[in-house]
C-alpha cells in the first residue's frame, strides 16, 4: 500500500460520496415539485421525477458521457467514480425542467424530451466547457455548473413553457394573475432542504480531488460558501417579501435559498464566506423579482425553476468575473449566450416536433380533473381527495 | 321561506356565487359532496387492480331565500351552473318554517 | 317533527353540544361546511399573487326534533352559538314527514 | 316529491347504493358527516393526555324521490344499511316543493 | 502517522459512512410503508418501523452478532465499524417483513417476532455464508445480501402473510381482487428514493475496504451498477405497466427501482454498467409479474415486499452465475434453497406459536376502524381523518 | 504528496461529511416540528426553521465564531471545515427553541431572538468550555454538546415558554390537560429519523480527527453508541407508555429515541455499547416522565423539546461522571449550572425585552385561525384545510 493508493482511494471515496449527495437531489426536486403542484397532479410529477432520473442515467451511460468527455483519462480516482459524479449532474439539469412544465405537460412527451436532452443537448453543450472544448478555451469559467447544468436546464424549461402556455386558470382575461397554491408546504420545504444538503456534493465534489492542502482547503471553503450563500438567499428573499407584502411567503424563502445555491455554484471556492453571503443576498432578491416578472409576462412556472436556475444561474456566472481573477465579464457573457442559445433553440425545436406529432399538452378535461387520474391511475392522497366506493 | 339546495359542478362555484351576488344574495353555505348519477365516473388502477370511481366531486349550495326570491334564484343558479354536459347537477327546493340569525336573533324574512 | 339545521362557528361546537345534551338531545349530525356571508374573509399571498378566501369554515348541525322540543332547541343553539360577532351563523327549520331509526325500525317520534 | 336523508355507516355505502340501483334510483348525493348518538366513541391518547372522539364518521345520503317511490326507497335503505348495532343511523324524510335538473331544465318528477 | 494508520482510518470512515447510509434505509422503509398503507394504519406502521429498528440493534448487539461472526478478527478497520455495518443489515432484513404484514398484524406479536428474527433466525443463517460457514464453503456467492438479507426478510414475511391471511376487503368472494390504495404517494416516492440512496452504502460498503486500486475501482463500479440497475428497473416496470394498462402506476415504478436494487445486490461489482442495466430491466419486469401473480394467488402484500425482496432476490442470486466467474447455477440454487427453507420454516413456526398463544391478527373491528386508534391512540393525520370536539 | 497531506485531506473530508450530516438535522427539526404542530401553524413553523438556520449561519459567521473560538489554530484539517462543523451546531441549538415556542410565538420576535442567541448567548457560553475557557479548565466534560448545545437550546426555550404561556386550549380552568395532536405523524417520524442520521455527524464528528488508530476506533465506537442509545431510548419510552396506558404513543417513542441521542452526546466514546444502551434506556424513561411532569406544571412544549434536550441533556452530563474516568459529579453539576443560569437568565431578559417592545405572542384571533394565515399567507395544505373560490 502506497501513498498513491491511499490518495486514489480517498479521492474516489470523496467523489462517490459527493455523487451520492447529488443523486439525493433527485429526491429534493421530487419533493419540492410534489409540494408545489396541486394534489391532483402530484402523483404524475412524482412519476416524472423518478423516470427522468432513470432515463438520464441510462441515456448518459449509453450516449451522453462519451459525447461529453470521450474517453477521459482519469488518474487520480476510479474512472467509474467520475462517471457516477457526471451522470447525476445531467439528472439534475433534467429535474429542473419537470417543475417548470408541471401540471400540463404530457408524460410521454416529457420523457421523450428527457431522452434527447440527456443524450445529446446537455452532453454536447457540456463538452464545450467541461469536456475541454471551445468555451473552456475561451476562458469561460463555470466551476460547478451554474451555466452548464442550471442555466441549461432552465433554458430547456423556458422553451417548453413558451410552447406549452400557462396552466388553465393562472391568468385571467384582463391580465389578472391568480395564485395556484401548491398542495403540500412541508414537502416543498423538505425538498429544498434535501437540495441544500445535496448541493454540498454538487459543489464540493466539483473540485474533483480533495487530496493536497490546496484541494482540502478549497473543498472546505466550497462547503462554507455554498451554505452561506443559501442562508443569505433565504434571508434576502424573506426580507424583501416581508417588506413588500408584510407576509412571510414560505415558497419565496425556499426559492431564495435555492437561488443562493445556484448563484454560488459558478465559483464557490474563490471567494470568502462574506463575499458568498453577498452573492447569496443578491440572488435572494433577484429571484423574487424574477418570479414576479415572469408572472407578469404570463410565463407560468409553477415552481419558479426558470427564475431560480436560469436567472440566478446567469447572475452567478456574471459574478464570477468579480470573484475570480481570470474571468472577464465578456467571456462569461459569451459562455452564457452560447449555452442559452444552444439549449434553448434545440429544445424549442424538440418540443415543437413533439407538439406537432404526439402533442405536448394534456387535454383541457384532464388538466381540470388532474394528470394523476388521466395518466397514473391513482391520486397522491387517494383517501383525502375523492371518495370512492370500494 | 324556502331552502334551495343546489348540487353543482365544483368549477361552476365562482360563476354561481357571482350571479347570486348580483341578485342580492348575501349568504350561502357550501358543502363538498360526491354525486352519483348519469355522469359516468372513471377507472383507476393501483398495482394491477382496477377500480371504478363512481362518486364524483360536486358542491352543494344551501341557500335560504324568501318566497319572492325563489323563482329568480333558482333560475339564476340554473343558468350559472349550466354547461350542457351530464353531471351539471340538480336544484331541490324545500320549505322552511323558521329562519333565525344567531348574532341578532332576527327571525324569518329579516334573518335571511 | 322538524329538522333543525344550524350553521355555527366551529369553535362553538363543544358549547352547543353540551347545551343540547342538557336538553336531552341524544343525537345529531355534523358536517364541515364553508360559509359565505357578511363576515369578511381574508387575503392570502402565494408567490406574489394575492387572493381572497371568501368561504369561511363553519359547522353545520343537523338535528331532528319533535315539534315540542323545537322552540327549546332553537333557543338553546342560539344561546350557545352566540358570540355577537358577524359570522355567528343561522338556524333553519324545515318540516320532517318521517323519521326512521335504522337499527330498530322505530319510526317518527320514538325514532328521534 | 320527497327528499330522503339517510345517515348510515360508511361501510354500508356499497350495499345501499346497489340496493337503490336495483330499485331504479339513478342519482344520489353523498356527504361525509360525523354523527353523535347512542353509539359510543373511543378514547385516544397523545403524549400522555387522553381525549375522547365522540363524533363518529358517518355518511349522509341525500336522495330525491317521487312520492310513489318513497316507501320502497326508505325500506330498501333501511334493509341495506342495517347491521343491528348501535350507530346504524337514521332516515329522515322532508317534502320537496321543486326539483330542477340543471342540464335539461326538466322540473319536478321528470327531473329526479 | 503511517500509511497503515491512514488506511485504517479511511476504511473505518468509509465503512461508517456506508453504515450510516444503510441506517438511513430504515427511514426509507418507514416512509415507503407509511405511504402505501391506508391512513388509518399509518401511525402503527411508523411505530413498527421505529421499534423494529431499535429491537434489531439491541438484539443483534446482545446475541446476534456473536452468533453470526463469533469474535471476528478485523484488522483493516475499527471492529466497531464492522459491527455497526452489520447491525444495520439485520434491521434492513426485518424492515422487509413489516411492510408485507401491514394493516392487520398485531404490534406486540410483530415485535416479538422481530426479537427472534434478529437474535437468531437471521444471524444463524448469516453465519453459514458471511460468517464463513458451509454455504460459503460450498461456493455460494451473495456479495451484499440479495439472499442473506433480502430473500431472508421476504421468506419471513411470506410465512407471516400465509398465516395471517389477506386484509379484509382485499379479495372478494368470487375471487375478485380489489385495489386498496395507499394513503400518501409522495411519502412512498420519498421512501423509495431514500432506499435508493441508502443502497449505495448497502452495496458499496459490502466491499469492506476501499483502499487499494482494486478496492477503489470495485466500490466505484458498485455505485454505478447499483444506480444503473435501479434506473433500469424503474424504467422497465414503467414500460410494462404502460403497455398493459396504458397507465403509469407510480407504485409499480417504485417497486421496479427497488427490484433492480435487490437484484444487483447479489453481485454489484463483477459486471459492467450495461450488464447491470440488463439485470435491472429483468428485475423491473419480473417484479410486476410477481406482484400480479401473488395477488392472483391471494397472497396479500400491501407494499410488494415479497415480490421485490424475495422474487427479485432469487433472480439476482441466479444472475450471479452468469456474471461471476466462480458462481454456478447449482451452488446458487443450493444457497437459495437453504436460506429460504431455514428462514421460512422457522418463521412459520414462530408466527404459528405467536398465533396460538397471543394471536397475531388484530380484531376485525380494529381492522375496520384502523390499527392507529386501536394500538397507538392517535391517527396519522388527526385533523383530516376524524373530527373531534376539543 | 505526503502522509501529512493525506491525513489533512481525510480529516477535512471526515469533518465536512460530519458537518453536512449535522446540517441535515435542520431538516429533521423542521419535519419533526411540522409534524407535531397543527396544520394551521405548519407553514409558519417551516418558515421559522429555515430562517433560524439561515440566521444562525450568518450571525455565527459574522460574530459568533470569533467570540467562541477567537482565531483557532487548526492544523489537522482545513480551518473552514472546522468553521462549518461549528456553525451547524449553533443552528441545532437554535432549532431546539422553535419547537417549544411553536403555535403562539410571533415570527419576527423569534427571529430577533435567534440573532441574539446565535451571535452572543450561545457562543459566549461555548467559549467557556469548547473555547478553552473556565469550564474546560474546571474539568467539565461535555464531549459533543449535551450541555453546550442541547441544554443551552432547552434553557432558552424554557425561558421563552415561561414568558409566553401555554397555547390556548391546552389547559382547562380546572387544571385539565387537553391533548392537541399534531397534524402529521409521518413527518414527525421522518424528522426523528433524519435527526438520528444527522447525529452520527454530530457525535461522530466531535472527535475532530479520524486519523490514528485511537481516533478511528473512537469514531467507530461513537457511531455504535449513538445508535444504541437511540434504539434503547425508543424502546424504553415505548415500554413505559405501553405499560401505563396500554397504547403505543408514536410521539413518545420518537422523543425516547431523541432522548437517548441527547443523553449519549455528553460522552459517546468512553463507554461500551452495553453501557450506552443503559444510558439510552434511562433517557427513554426519563423523557416520558419529564414530558408528563412539565405538562402537569402547565409548561406547554408542543414537541417536548425541553424534556428531550434539557432534562435528558442534564441527565447525560451527569452520567458522564460514571463513564468517564476524569469527570466528577461536582464538575458536571457545576457546568450544568453555569450553562443553564447563563442561557436561561439572558434568554429571559431578551424574551422579556421583546415582549415589552414588539410583543412575543400572536393575537388570540391569529392563534385561533392559525399563524399560517396571519403571518405566511398560505396554509400548509391549502387544498385540504379551507375551501376557497379561485
Ligand atoms: N335523485 C337524486 N337525488 C339527489 N341527488 C341527485 C339525484 N340525481 C342526481 N343527483 C345529483 O346530481 C348530480 C348530477 O346528476 P347526473 O345524473 O350525473 O347528471 P344530469 O343531472 O346532468 O343528468 C349527481 O352527481 C348527484 O350529485
Ligand atoms: N341565506 C343563507 N342561506 C344559507 N346560509 C346562509 C345564508 N346566510 C348566511 N348563511 C350562513 O351563515 C353564516 C354566517 O352568516 P354571516 O352573514 O357571515 O354572519 P351573520 O349571520 O352574523 O350576519 C355564513 O357563513 C353562511 O354559512
Ligand atoms: N336527532 C338526530 N338528529 C340528527 N341526526 C341524528 C339524530 N340522532 C341520531 N342521529 C345520527 O344517527 C347516527 C346513529 O345514531 P345512534 O344513536 O348512534 O345509533 P342508533 O340510531 O342505532 O341508536 C348518529 O351518529 C347521528 O349521526
Amino acid at each position: 500500500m502506497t501513498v498513491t493508493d491511499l490518495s486514489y482511494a480517498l479521492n474516489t471515496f470523496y467523489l462517490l460520496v459527493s455523487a451520492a449527495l447529488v443523486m439525493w437531489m433527485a429526491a429534493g426536486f421530487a419533493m419540492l415539485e410534489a409540494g408545489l403542484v396541486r394534489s391532483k397532479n402530484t402523483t404524475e410529477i412524482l412519476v416524472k421525477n423518478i423516470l427522468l432520473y432513470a432515463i438520464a442515467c441510462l441515456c448518459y451511460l449509453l450516449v451522453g458521457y462519451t459525447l461529453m468527455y470521450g474517453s477521459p483519462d482519469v488518474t487520480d480516482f476510479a474512472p467509474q467514480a467520475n462517471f457516477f459524479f457526471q451522470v447525476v449532474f445531467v439528472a439534475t439539469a433534467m429535474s429542473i425542467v419537470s417543475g417548470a412544465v408541471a401540471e400540463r405537460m404530457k408524460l410521454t412527451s416529457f420523457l421523450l424530451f428527457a431522452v434527447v436532452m440527456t443524450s445529446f443537448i446537455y452532453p454536447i453543450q457540456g463538452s464545450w466547457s467541461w469536456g475541454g472544448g471551445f468555451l473552456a478555451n475561451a476562458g469561460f469559467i463555470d466551476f460547478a455548473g451554474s451555466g452548464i447544468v442550471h442555466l441549461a436546464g432552465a433554458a430547456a424549461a423556458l422553451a417548453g413553457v413558451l410552447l406549452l402556455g400557462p396552466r388553465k386558470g393562472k391568468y385571467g382575461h384582463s391580465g389578472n394573475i391568480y395564485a395556484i397554491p401548491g398542495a403540500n408546504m412541508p414537502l416543498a420545504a423538505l425538498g429544498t432542504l434535501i437540495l441544500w444538503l445535496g448541493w454540498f456534493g454538487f459543489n464540493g465534489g466539483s473540485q474533483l480531488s480533495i487530496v493536497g492542502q490546496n484541494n482540502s482547503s478549497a473543498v472546505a471553503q466550497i462547503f462554507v460558501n455554498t451554505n452561506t450563500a443559501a442562508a443569505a438567499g433565504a434571508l434576502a428573499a424573506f426580507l424583501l417579501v416581508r417588506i413588500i407584502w408584510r407576509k412571510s411567503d414560505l415558497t419565496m424563502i425556499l426559492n431564495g435559498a435555492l437561488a443562493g445555491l445556484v448563484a454560488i455554484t459558478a465559483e464557490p471556492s474563490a471567494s470568502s464566506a462574506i463575499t458568498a453571503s453577498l452573492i447569496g443576498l443578491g440572488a435572494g432578491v433577484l429571484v423574487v423579482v424574477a418570479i414576479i416578472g415572469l408572472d407578469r409576462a404570463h410565463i407560468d412556472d409553477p415552481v419558479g425553476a426558470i427564475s431560480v436556475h436560469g436567472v440566478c444561474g446567469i447572475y452567478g456566472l456574471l459574478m464570477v468575473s468579480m470573484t475570480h481573477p481570470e474571468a472577464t465579464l465578456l467571456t462569461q457573457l459569451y459562455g452564457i449566450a452560447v449555452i442559452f442559445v444552444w439549449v434553448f433553440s434545440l429544445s424549442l425545436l424538440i418540443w415543437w416536433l413533439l407538439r406537432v406529432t404526439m402533442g405536448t399538452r394534456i387535454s383541457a378535461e384532464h388538466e381540470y380533473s388532474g394528470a394523476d387520474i388521466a395518466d397514473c391511475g391513482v391520486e397522491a392522497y387517494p383517501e383525502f381527495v375523492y371518495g370512492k366506493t370500494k | 321561506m324556502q331552502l334551495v339546495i343546489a348540487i353543482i359542478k365544483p368549477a361552476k362555484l365562482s360563476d354561481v356565487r357571482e350571479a347570486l351576488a348580483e341578485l342580492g344574495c348575501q349568504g350561502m353555505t357550501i358543502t363538498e359532496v360526491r354525486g352519483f348519477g348519469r355522469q359516468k365516473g372513471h377507472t383507476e388502477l393501483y398495482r394491477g387492480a382496477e377500480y371504478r370511481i363512481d362518486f364524483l366531486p360536486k358542491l352543494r349550495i344551501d341557500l335560504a331565500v324568501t318566497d319572492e326570491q325563489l323563482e329568480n334564484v333558482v333560475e339564476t343558479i340554473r343558468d350559472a351552473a349550466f354547461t350542457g354536459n351530464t353531471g351539471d347537477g340538480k336544484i331541490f327546493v324545500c320549505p322552511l318554517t323558521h329562519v333565525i340569525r344567531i348574532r341578532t336573533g332576527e327571525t324569518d324574512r329579516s334573518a335571511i
Side-chain angles (χ1 to χ4, degrees), chain A residues 311-329:
Chain A
V311 176
C312 293
I314 293 175
Y315 160 77
L317 288 167
L318 295 179
M319 283 298 112
V320 176
S321 62
M322 294 168 61
T323 59
H324 194 290
E326 286 167 32
T328 71
L329 198 60

PDB file of all heavy atoms in Angstrom, chain A residues 311-329:
ATOM      1  N   VAL A 311     -32.283  32.602 -14.258  1.00  0.00           N
ATOM      2  CA  VAL A 311     -31.900  33.977 -13.936  1.00  0.00           C
ATOM      3  C   VAL A 311     -30.740  33.999 -12.949  1.00  0.00           C
ATOM      4  O   VAL A 311     -29.743  34.704 -13.154  1.00  0.00           O
ATOM      5  CB  VAL A 311     -33.117  34.747 -13.389  1.00  0.00           C
ATOM      6  CG1 VAL A 311     -32.712  36.142 -12.957  1.00  0.00           C
ATOM      7  CG2 VAL A 311     -34.225  34.794 -14.434  1.00  0.00           C
ATOM      8  N   CYS A 312     -30.852  33.201 -11.896  1.00  0.00           N
ATOM      9  CA  CYS A 312     -29.778  33.215 -10.905  1.00  0.00           C
ATOM     10  C   CYS A 312     -28.537  32.468 -11.387  1.00  0.00           C
ATOM     11  O   CYS A 312     -27.426  32.724 -10.902  1.00  0.00           O
ATOM     12  CB  CYS A 312     -30.265  32.665  -9.575  1.00  0.00           C
ATOM     13  SG  CYS A 312     -31.499  33.764  -8.852  1.00  0.00           S
ATOM     14  N   GLY A 313     -28.721  31.555 -12.323  1.00  0.00           N
ATOM     15  CA  GLY A 313     -27.560  30.924 -12.941  1.00  0.00           C
ATOM     16  C   GLY A 313     -26.750  31.964 -13.696  1.00  0.00           C
ATOM     17  O   GLY A 313     -25.518  32.048 -13.571  1.00  0.00           O
ATOM     18  N   ILE A 314     -27.420  32.764 -14.492  1.00  0.00           N
ATOM     19  CA  ILE A 314     -26.747  33.834 -15.232  1.00  0.00           C
ATOM     20  C   ILE A 314     -26.084  34.818 -14.274  1.00  0.00           C
ATOM     21  O   ILE A 314     -24.912  35.189 -14.432  1.00  0.00           O
ATOM     22  CB  ILE A 314     -27.770  34.573 -16.127  1.00  0.00           C
ATOM     23  CG1 ILE A 314     -28.256  33.634 -17.238  1.00  0.00           C
ATOM     24  CG2 ILE A 314     -27.169  35.845 -16.708  1.00  0.00           C
ATOM     25  CD1 ILE A 314     -29.360  34.216 -18.108  1.00  0.00           C
ATOM     26  N   TYR A 315     -26.841  35.193 -13.270  1.00  0.00           N
ATOM     27  CA  TYR A 315     -26.315  36.126 -12.268  1.00  0.00           C
ATOM     28  C   TYR A 315     -25.031  35.568 -11.638  1.00  0.00           C
ATOM     29  O   TYR A 315     -24.021  36.263 -11.509  1.00  0.00           O
ATOM     30  CB  TYR A 315     -27.402  36.377 -11.228  1.00  0.00           C
ATOM     31  CG  TYR A 315     -26.929  36.917  -9.906  1.00  0.00           C
ATOM     32  CD1 TYR A 315     -26.580  38.263  -9.768  1.00  0.00           C
ATOM     33  CD2 TYR A 315     -26.844  36.092  -8.785  1.00  0.00           C
ATOM     34  CE1 TYR A 315     -26.153  38.763  -8.537  1.00  0.00           C
ATOM     35  CE2 TYR A 315     -26.427  36.582  -7.560  1.00  0.00           C
ATOM     36  CZ  TYR A 315     -26.076  37.909  -7.435  1.00  0.00           C
ATOM     37  OH  TYR A 315     -25.667  38.392  -6.219  1.00  0.00           O
ATOM     38  N   GLY A 316     -25.070  34.295 -11.277  1.00  0.00           N
ATOM     39  CA  GLY A 316     -23.891  33.680 -10.669  1.00  0.00           C
ATOM     40  C   GLY A 316     -22.694  33.685 -11.609  1.00  0.00           C
ATOM     41  O   GLY A 316     -21.564  33.979 -11.207  1.00  0.00           O
ATOM     42  N   LEU A 317     -22.953  33.382 -12.882  1.00  0.00           N
ATOM     43  CA  LEU A 317     -21.858  33.361 -13.860  1.00  0.00           C
ATOM     44  C   LEU A 317     -21.254  34.753 -14.025  1.00  0.00           C
ATOM     45  O   LEU A 317     -20.038  34.891 -14.184  1.00  0.00           O
ATOM     46  CB  LEU A 317     -22.378  32.847 -15.205  1.00  0.00           C
ATOM     47  CG  LEU A 317     -22.686  31.342 -15.239  1.00  0.00           C
ATOM     48  CD1 LEU A 317     -23.486  30.976 -16.476  1.00  0.00           C
ATOM     49  CD2 LEU A 317     -21.395  30.530 -15.172  1.00  0.00           C
ATOM     50  N   LEU A 318     -22.090  35.760 -13.990  1.00  0.00           N
ATOM     51  CA  LEU A 318     -21.573  37.131 -14.126  1.00  0.00           C
ATOM     52  C   LEU A 318     -20.760  37.530 -12.895  1.00  0.00           C
ATOM     53  O   LEU A 318     -19.729  38.195 -13.010  1.00  0.00           O
ATOM     54  CB  LEU A 318     -22.734  38.108 -14.337  1.00  0.00           C
ATOM     55  CG  LEU A 318     -23.506  37.903 -15.649  1.00  0.00           C
ATOM     56  CD1 LEU A 318     -24.661  38.893 -15.763  1.00  0.00           C
ATOM     57  CD2 LEU A 318     -22.574  38.029 -16.856  1.00  0.00           C
ATOM     58  N   MET A 319     -21.210  37.107 -11.739  1.00  0.00           N
ATOM     59  CA  MET A 319     -20.484  37.433 -10.510  1.00  0.00           C
ATOM     60  C   MET A 319     -19.066  36.870 -10.521  1.00  0.00           C
ATOM     61  O   MET A 319     -18.161  37.397  -9.873  1.00  0.00           O
ATOM     62  CB  MET A 319     -21.233  36.851  -9.298  1.00  0.00           C
ATOM     63  CG  MET A 319     -22.462  37.629  -8.873  1.00  0.00           C
ATOM     64  SD  MET A 319     -22.089  39.327  -8.362  1.00  0.00           S
ATOM     65  CE  MET A 319     -22.879  40.213  -9.699  1.00  0.00           C
ATOM     66  N   VAL A 320     -18.900  35.758 -11.255  1.00  0.00           N
ATOM     67  CA  VAL A 320     -17.566  35.147 -11.306  1.00  0.00           C
ATOM     68  C   VAL A 320     -16.528  36.155 -11.786  1.00  0.00           C
ATOM     69  O   VAL A 320     -15.368  36.147 -11.341  1.00  0.00           O
ATOM     70  CB  VAL A 320     -17.569  33.914 -12.236  1.00  0.00           C
ATOM     71  CG1 VAL A 320     -16.170  33.323 -12.368  1.00  0.00           C
ATOM     72  CG2 VAL A 320     -18.527  32.867 -11.701  1.00  0.00           C
ATOM     73  N   SER A 321     -16.934  37.018 -12.676  1.00  0.00           N
ATOM     74  CA  SER A 321     -15.969  37.984 -13.202  1.00  0.00           C
ATOM     75  C   SER A 321     -15.475  38.917 -12.101  1.00  0.00           C
ATOM     76  O   SER A 321     -14.444  39.568 -12.251  1.00  0.00           O
ATOM     77  CB  SER A 321     -16.609  38.797 -14.335  1.00  0.00           C
ATOM     78  OG  SER A 321     -17.708  39.523 -13.841  1.00  0.00           O
ATOM     79  N   MET A 322     -16.179  38.965 -10.992  1.00  0.00           N
ATOM     80  CA  MET A 322     -15.720  39.807  -9.889  1.00  0.00           C
ATOM     81  C   MET A 322     -14.953  39.020  -8.841  1.00  0.00           C
ATOM     82  O   MET A 322     -14.133  39.578  -8.115  1.00  0.00           O
ATOM     83  CB  MET A 322     -16.918  40.497  -9.241  1.00  0.00           C
ATOM     84  CG  MET A 322     -17.572  41.481 -10.212  1.00  0.00           C
ATOM     85  SD  MET A 322     -19.174  42.060  -9.648  1.00  0.00           S
ATOM     86  CE  MET A 322     -18.711  42.858  -8.119  1.00  0.00           C
ATOM     87  N   THR A 323     -15.228  37.728  -8.727  1.00  0.00           N
ATOM     88  CA  THR A 323     -14.560  36.972  -7.668  1.00  0.00           C
ATOM     89  C   THR A 323     -13.373  36.157  -8.185  1.00  0.00           C
ATOM     90  O   THR A 323     -12.504  35.788  -7.411  1.00  0.00           O
ATOM     91  CB  THR A 323     -15.536  35.987  -6.979  1.00  0.00           C
ATOM     92  OG1 THR A 323     -16.051  35.091  -7.963  1.00  0.00           O
ATOM     93  CG2 THR A 323     -16.681  36.736  -6.320  1.00  0.00           C
ATOM     94  N   HIS A 324     -13.372  35.870  -9.467  1.00  0.00           N
ATOM     95  CA  HIS A 324     -12.304  35.011  -9.984  1.00  0.00           C
ATOM     96  C   HIS A 324     -11.344  35.853 -10.816  1.00  0.00           C
ATOM     97  O   HIS A 324     -11.762  36.545 -11.748  1.00  0.00           O
ATOM     98  CB  HIS A 324     -12.922  33.900 -10.845  1.00  0.00           C
ATOM     99  CG  HIS A 324     -11.958  32.801 -11.147  1.00  0.00           C
ATOM    100  ND1 HIS A 324     -10.897  32.959 -11.988  1.00  0.00           N
ATOM    101  CD2 HIS A 324     -11.880  31.526 -10.705  1.00  0.00           C
ATOM    102  CE1 HIS A 324     -10.221  31.825 -12.070  1.00  0.00           C
ATOM    103  NE2 HIS A 324     -10.808  30.943 -11.291  1.00  0.00           N
ATOM    104  N   PRO A 325     -10.073  35.806 -10.502  1.00  0.00           N
ATOM    105  CA  PRO A 325      -9.103  36.681 -11.176  1.00  0.00           C
ATOM    106  C   PRO A 325      -9.055  36.495 -12.688  1.00  0.00           C
ATOM    107  O   PRO A 325      -8.826  37.460 -13.420  1.00  0.00           O
ATOM    108  CB  PRO A 325      -7.763  36.297 -10.530  1.00  0.00           C
ATOM    109  CG  PRO A 325      -7.988  34.986  -9.852  1.00  0.00           C
ATOM    110  CD  PRO A 325      -9.433  34.950  -9.489  1.00  0.00           C
ATOM    111  N   GLU A 326      -9.288  35.268 -13.161  1.00  0.00           N
ATOM    112  CA  GLU A 326      -9.088  35.026 -14.594  1.00  0.00           C
ATOM    113  C   GLU A 326     -10.354  35.205 -15.433  1.00  0.00           C
ATOM    114  O   GLU A 326     -10.317  35.083 -16.657  1.00  0.00           O
ATOM    115  CB  GLU A 326      -8.543  33.614 -14.802  1.00  0.00           C
ATOM    116  CG  GLU A 326      -7.083  33.506 -14.401  1.00  0.00           C
ATOM    117  CD  GLU A 326      -6.654  32.051 -14.298  1.00  0.00           C
ATOM    118  OE1 GLU A 326      -7.195  31.221 -15.063  1.00  0.00           O
ATOM    119  OE2 GLU A 326      -5.801  31.742 -13.457  1.00  0.00           O
ATOM    120  N   ALA A 327     -11.451  35.440 -14.780  1.00  0.00           N
ATOM    121  CA  ALA A 327     -12.694  35.544 -15.544  1.00  0.00           C
ATOM    122  C   ALA A 327     -12.951  36.987 -15.963  1.00  0.00           C
ATOM    123  O   ALA A 327     -12.648  37.925 -15.214  1.00  0.00           O
ATOM    124  CB  ALA A 327     -13.858  35.045 -14.690  1.00  0.00           C
ATOM    125  N   THR A 328     -13.496  37.169 -17.128  1.00  0.00           N
ATOM    126  CA  THR A 328     -13.891  38.511 -17.542  1.00  0.00           C
ATOM    127  C   THR A 328     -15.390  38.512 -17.831  1.00  0.00           C
ATOM    128  O   THR A 328     -15.980  37.469 -18.155  1.00  0.00           O
ATOM    129  CB  THR A 328     -13.166  38.965 -18.814  1.00  0.00           C
ATOM    130  OG1 THR A 328     -13.684  38.208 -19.916  1.00  0.00           O
ATOM    131  CG2 THR A 328     -11.665  38.751 -18.702  1.00  0.00           C
ATOM    132  N   LEU A 329     -15.975  39.671 -17.723  1.00  0.00           N
ATOM    133  CA  LEU A 329     -17.403  39.783 -17.967  1.00  0.00           C
ATOM    134  C   LEU A 329     -17.738  39.286 -19.375  1.00  0.00           C
ATOM    135  O   LEU A 329     -18.751  38.609 -19.603  1.00  0.00           O
ATOM    136  CB  LEU A 329     -17.823  41.256 -17.816  1.00  0.00           C
ATOM    137  CG  LEU A 329     -19.313  41.504 -17.610  1.00  0.00           C
ATOM    138  CD1 LEU A 329     -19.806  40.810 -16.360  1.00  0.00           C
ATOM    139  CD2 LEU A 329     -19.595  43.004 -17.506  1.00  0.00           C
TER     140      LEU A 329
END
